[in-house]
């Protein structure tokens, strides 16, 4: 009886040790996977003005009649995020609260919504989504200058009027990646990760 108990205890301890080794191996594999599957930033579609170039200058009025200068040196020394949206884009509606909270958290950044199409439809969109506090400009030329093909698309322009980051933004992570890329001095999060891989 004592011999059977001793053998079962020995087998149990061997199993516990084996399980510990398996857990350590799995932990290491999770770390390796984390390095390989990096967070995805905003998808930069390589059309329109490039990151590092001066943004095209537009003097427009938003739906509320306020005059806006987009591009060029910002009088108050603030960066601008142009967020291209549409009333018919479901992803845009999902992203708007995220963009609003992100812009509120970034003290030195102005958020400007850009769209084109029927003005009455855009006014209904503003009322429905409660966007009255944010400027929304209607300009087909603005979208054409940036060659916007998919929505929602964001462009971060610094206070000197230089494009610092841009891309398709479908999630909070994509939107945040514009600010992260700007802070890191790179055009996109993918470029930053690529540099780390080369250096590492």
């Amino acid at each position: 009886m004592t011999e059977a108990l001793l053998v079962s205890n020995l087998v149990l301890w061997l199993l516990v040790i084996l399980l510990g080794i398996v857990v350590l191996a799995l932990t290491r594999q999770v770390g390796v996977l984390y390095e390989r599957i990096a967070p995805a930033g905003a998808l930069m579609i390589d059309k329109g003005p490039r990151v590092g170039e001066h943004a095209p200058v537009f003097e427009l009025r938003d739906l509320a009649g306020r005059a806006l200068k987009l591009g060029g040196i910002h009088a108050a020394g603030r960066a601008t995020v142009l967020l291209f949206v549409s009333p018919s884009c479901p992803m845009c509606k999902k992203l708007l609260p995220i963009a609003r909270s992100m812009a509120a958290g970034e003290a030195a950044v102005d958020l400007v919504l850009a769209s084109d199409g029927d003005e009455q439809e855009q006014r209904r969109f503003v009322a429905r989504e409660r966007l009255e506090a944010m400027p929304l400009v209607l300009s087909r030329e603005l979208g054409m200058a940036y060659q916007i093909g998919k929505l929602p698309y964001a462009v971060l322009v610094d206070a000197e009027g230089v494009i610092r980051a841009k891309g398709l933004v479908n999630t909070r992570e994509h939107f945040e990646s514009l600010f992260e890329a700007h802070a890191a001095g790179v055009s996109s999060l993918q470029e930053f990760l690529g540099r780390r891989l080369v250096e590492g």
Side-chain angles (χ1 to χ4, degrees):
M1 180 76 177
T2 310
E3 200 172 295
L5 188 60
L6 192 61
V7 169
S8 69
N9 256 349
L10 184 61
V11 169
L12 185 62
W13 274 108
L14 286 173
L15 286 174
V16 167
I17 291 168
L18 184 63
L19 184 63
I21 292 169
V22 169
V23 167
L24 285 174
L26 286 174
T27 303
R28 185 178 180 287
Q29 285 302 313
V30 167
V32 169
L33 282 174
Y34 181 76
E35 285 181 6
R36 287 184 187 164
I37 304 172
L43 177 63
M44 191 178 355
I45 300 167
D46 204 11
K47 292 183 179 178
R50 295 180 181 271
V51 172
E53 293 180 357
H54 283 277
V57 178
F58 284 86
E59 293 189 12
L60 303 167
R61 290 199 174 272
D62 70 358
L63 285 182
R66 297 171 287 211
L68 292 172
K69 182 184 175 193
L70 304 173
I73 296 173
H74 195 287
R78 297 168 62 83
T80 303
V81 173
L82 288 172
L83 180 59
F84 291 87
V85 295
S86 168
S88 59
C89 167
M91 193 58 68
C92 298
K93 293 173 191 171
K94 177 184 166 192
L95 187 69
L96 284 169
I98 295 167
R100 194 174 340 189
S101 71
M102 289 285 301
E106 295 286 336
V109 175
D110 291 334
L111 176 65
V112 177
L113 302 177
S115 190
D116 63 5
D118 180 61
E119 184 176 335
Q120 291 310 312
E121 183 184 8
Q122 299 290 344
R123 289 187 184 281
R124 287 192 296 273
F125 174 60
V126 166
R128 187 173 60 245
E129 300 296 328
R130 298 188 298 277
L131 303 173
E132 293 84 359
M134 287 190 278
L136 187 143
V137 295
L138 290 181
S139 173
R140 183 177 299 275
E141 292 76 20
L142 183 64
M144 289 174 66
Y146 284 98
Q147 296 187 23
I148 304 303
K150 296 185 182 220
L151 299 175
Y153 198 88
V155 180
L156 175 62
V157 181
D158 71 9
E160 301 299 314
V162 177
I163 298 169
R164 291 298 172 195
K166 64 179 186 172
L168 194 61
V169 287
N170 291 329
T171 64
R172 174 179 283 277
E173 289 77 20
H174 291 168
F175 204 75
E176 286 175 347
S177 75
L178 296 175
F179 298 101
E180 295 298 326
H182 176 46
V186 293
S187 63
S188 69
L189 201 56
Q190 288 83 357
E191 181 188 330
F192 176 72
L193 293 170
R195 285 185 185 179
R196 280 186 57 195
L197 286 174
V198 169
E199 291 168 2

